[in-house]
């Protein structure tokens, strides 16, 4: 995982596998528990594997951040990962964008936009 600060937004690019083993490690890092309110963009385009544990982690992070008044968005153009999100019904729930600048704009915008 790589992180980049685009003040006040943290952009985290996940790569490799997001499965049971790596989800636990990523959750312990506490990206969703950083300074308040959290403004987080998670880039999914470099993932090789995304299983149900990874999906669960993404949803829990999104729910925790938005539930505490923060903003969270995802960036994904990878057709396989998008299909997994679609099958899981998460495209309708999560805020998924096709590029980082649009996602950053979304998480820094007023909550009603």
């Amino acid at each position: 995982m790589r992180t980049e600060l685009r003040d006040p937004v943290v952009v985290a690019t996940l790569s490799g596998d997001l499965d049971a083993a790596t989800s636990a490690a990523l959750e312990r890092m506490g990206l969703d528990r950083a300074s308040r309110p959290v403004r987080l963009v998670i880039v999914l385009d470099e993932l090789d594997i995304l299983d149900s544990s990874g999906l669960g982690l993404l949803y829990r992070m999104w729910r925790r951040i938005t539930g505490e008044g923060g903003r969270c968005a995802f960036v994904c153009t990878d057709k396989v990962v998008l299909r997994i999100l679609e099958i899981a019904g998460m495209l309708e729930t999560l805020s998924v964008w096709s590029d980082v600048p649009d996602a950053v704009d979304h998480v820094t915008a007023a909550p009603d936009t």
Side-chain angles (χ1 to χ4, degrees), residues 30-41:
L31 281 176
D32 56 338
R33 295 179 187 91
S35 63
R36 298 284 184 235
V38 173
R39 303 285 184 255
L40 180 63
V41 170

Side-chain angles (χ1 to χ4, degrees), residues 3 5 8-11 27-40 61 64-65 68 70-71:
T3 59
L5 180 60
V9 178
V10 173
V11 177
E27 193 157 25
R28 284 191 300 274
M29 291 177 73
L31 281 176
D32 56 338
R33 295 179 187 91
S35 63
R36 298 284 184 235
V38 173
R39 303 285 184 255
L40 180 63
M61 290 175 71
R64 191 176 299 127
I65 290 168
E68 295 177 357
R71 303 291 300 268

Side-chain angles (χ1 to χ4, degrees), residues 47-62:
L47 287 177
D48 296 323
I49 294 174
L50 176 60
D51 73 4
S52 60
S53 298
L55 287 170
L57 171 65
L58 296 176
Y59 179 76
R60 285 190 308 277
M61 290 175 71
W62 172 84

Side-chain angles (χ1 to χ4, degrees), residues 1-3 5 8 20 29 31 40 48 56-58 64-65 67 78-79 81 85-87 92 97-98 102 104 108:
M1 178 183 66
R2 295 184 318 273
T3 59
L5 180 60
M29 291 177 73
L31 281 176
L40 180 63
D48 296 323
L57 171 65
L58 296 176
R64 191 176 299 127
I65 290 168
D78 183 277
K79 290 179 182 180
V81 174
L85 293 171
E86 179 183 26
I87 290 169
E92 295 81 26
W97 299 84
S98 60
D102 286 344
V104 168
T108 56

